[in-house]
Amino acid sequence: MYRCDIKSHINIFIKVMKLYRSLCDVAKFRSTFDFGGREVAHWFPGHMAKGLKQMRANLKSVDCIIEVHDARIPFSGRNPVFQETLDVKPQLLVLNKMDLADLSNKQKILKELDRSGVKNVLFTNCLKQSDDNVTKLVPSVLEIMANVCRFQREEIHNYCLMVIGVPNVGKSSLINSIRRTHLKKGRASRVGGEPGITRAVLTRIQVCERPLMHLLDTPGVLPPKIECVETGMKLALCGTILDHLVGEDIIADYLLYSLNRLEKFSYVEKYNLGEPSDDIQHVLKRIAVKLRKTQRVKALTGVGNVNITVPNYPAAAYDFIRAFRKGELGQVILD
């Protein structure tokens, strides 16, 4: 019995020392991210320019604008070009994908948005079969418009809303969720995990019967130029910019830097790393080994070519990024 107690205490001591060393190592991790002089990819396809032009042309028939954005980046990445549009109509900011965001400081986020002039904010999870916050959307819109003059639409008893936002933040999922809630009908807008799924401009979709309400679906629109490299990287990490335009290797490295900065170390357990790491090559190698993502390549030697097995780093980077986007690495706020 006595020997067992000694062994148990030794094991605890070893674990404490390992934890202490890990904490010391974490303290030495990067405090800033080196972008290496990179520039943000300019991604403003023709359908985006066309969509933005038609949004402006159809403002007269719109009662309220709903801007949808990713709750993990509540401040970064909102298209500043939209501000001209938002200033002339009642507006509601929907921060979607709340299930992936760390909302422990939700009130702080709301106060910061309020200081920037955003008064009406709703957090949603549109992939959830029944989301109470989606149920609140129609009453919220009616409350926002209650004391607003509708000008030439005063005699019209139905409502028209326009849904806008950058790509892949869940605009189509929001529309389908509202229809499911109020009309008990299936999806009317195509959804996908990559940016650029919605290309049709201003598709009119009924989402509510009483009151009669339609939404205008729009393609996701990025600003023609993203001024801040870090903002662009956050957008890329959240899947708003196509991965290959930025590079999965640097997105994965920025993800590792962000998780360490936020002290979110669930990736250690998921990939059996043993302890946190600040070296993306080390992490990707361990991921590749764990998931058996390897590839055979030819190595030139002095006696001829030899086939060797090496880790598939691109496949490991893709898995790492995808795990983050699915919420498997914990809930975060990148801003």
Side-chain angles (χ1 to χ4, degrees):
M1 179 69 72
Y2 182 69
R3 289 181 178 177
C4 289
D5 288 341
I6 293 177
K7 187 175 181 180
S8 176
H9 282 81
I10 291 174
N11 289 334
I12 292 174
F13 177 76
I14 292 173
K15 289 181 180 179
V16 169
M17 290 304 298
K18 284 183 177 180
L19 177 60
Y20 174 76
R21 284 196 297 269
S22 295
L23 292 174
C24 289
D25 290 339
V26 168
K28 299 176 184 176
F29 285 177
R30 292 170 288 180
S31 58
T32 58
F33 188 81
D34 181 10
F35 293 100
R38 292 173 183 259
E39 292 185 0
V40 179
H42 296 177
W43 191 49
F44 197 70
H47 75 275
M48 288 191 183
K50 179 182 178 182
L52 188 58
K53 183 178 179 180
Q54 293 198 12
M55 283 183 228
R56 288 170 173 163
N58 281 267
L59 277 177
K60 291 182 180 179
S61 62
V62 172
D63 295 300
C64 183
I65 292 175
I66 299 174
E67 181 185 359
V68 185
H69 199 57
D70 195 312
R72 292 169 293 183
I73 44 174
F75 312 118
S76 296
R78 293 177 58 208
N79 191 342
V81 177
F82 288 148
Q83 300 310 309
E84 302 171 18
T85 303
L86 293 176
D87 285 342
V88 297
K89 291 286 179 178
Q91 56 189 287
L92 173 66
L93 174 63
V94 173
L95 292 175
N96 193 33
K97 304 185 181 183
M98 62 177 289
D99 55 311
L100 304 178
D102 180 2
L103 298 181
S104 56
N105 289 320
K106 180 178 177 181
Q107 291 306 313
K108 183 178 179 181
I109 294 171
L110 292 173
K111 286 181 181 179
E112 185 65 30
L113 288 170
D114 184 70
R115 278 195 291 268
S116 64
V118 181
K119 306 295 182 182
N120 305 300
V121 182
L122 197 64
F123 289 85
T124 62
N125 173 13
C126 293
L127 294 183
K128 190 176 178 181
Q129 189 63 28
S130 179
D131 182 11
D132 291 339
N133 288 339
V134 172
T135 306
K136 298 175 184 177
L137 190 142
V138 169
S140 296
V141 168
L142 294 175
E143 183 179 347
I144 292 169
M145 295 189 298
N147 300 314
V148 177
C149 181
R150 298 179 72 199
F151 299 105
Q152 73 274 16
R153 293 179 55 79
E154 287 287 358
E155 302 301 321
I156 301 176
H157 298 293
N158 60 354
Y159 296 92
C160 182
L161 316 178
M162 183 185 289
V163 181
I164 65 174
V166 297
N168 202 28
V169 290
K171 297 183 299 298
S172 298
S173 295
L174 175 67
I175 292 172
N176 293 333
S177 185
I178 299 172
R179 277 175 58 87
R180 190 166 60 242
T181 299
H182 293 281
L183 295 180
K184 310 302 179 185
K185 292 185 178 180
R187 73 181 190 180
S189 191
R190 185 183 169 201
V191 298
E194 291 187 350
I197 293 295
T198 301
R199 292 179 177 267
V201 178
L202 299 175
T203 303
R204 187 179 175 90
I205 302 170
Q206 183 181 348
V207 293
C208 189
E209 186 69 40
R210 295 182 181 179
L212 183 58
M213 189 174 287
H214 290 82
L215 288 179
L216 297 181
D217 193 10
T218 63
V221 178
L222 286 167
K225 182 176 177 63
I226 300 172
E227 299 295 340
C228 175
V229 177
E230 187 146 19
T231 294
M233 197 60 66
K234 290 176 183 179
L235 287 168
L237 184 51
C238 291
T240 295
I241 301 174
L242 287 171
D243 292 344
H244 73 269
L245 295 177
V246 180
E248 290 183 342
D249 55 341
I250 190 172
I251 296 175
D253 194 18
Y254 184 76
L255 170 57
L256 179 64
Y257 158 77
S258 299
L259 292 174
N260 288 335
R261 177 176 60 86
L262 297 170
E263 298 182 354
K264 301 285 186 177
F265 302 124
S266 57
Y267 70 90
V268 174
E269 181 178 355
K270 178 174 175 62
Y271 295 114
N272 296 333
L273 295 180
E275 60 185 12
S277 174
D278 199 31
D279 182 354
I280 188 59
Q281 293 300 315
H282 169 72
V283 171
L284 293 183
K285 182 177 181 180
R286 295 294 297 270
I287 293 174
V289 170
K290 174 178 170 56
L291 302 180
R292 297 181 181 177
K293 293 182 180 295
T294 57
Q295 55 187 351
R296 293 184 66 80
V297 298
K298 286 185 178 180
L300 300 178
T301 69
V303 294
N305 297 343
V306 177
N307 289 326
I308 60 173
T309 301
V310 298
N312 188 332
Y313 288 102
Y318 172 76
D319 189 272
F320 190 38
I321 297 167
R322 185 182 61 176
F324 166 77
R325 291 174 181 165
K326 292 172 66 177
E328 295 174 0
L329 302 182
Q331 298 173 313
V332 303
I333 290 289
L334 295 173
D335 285 338

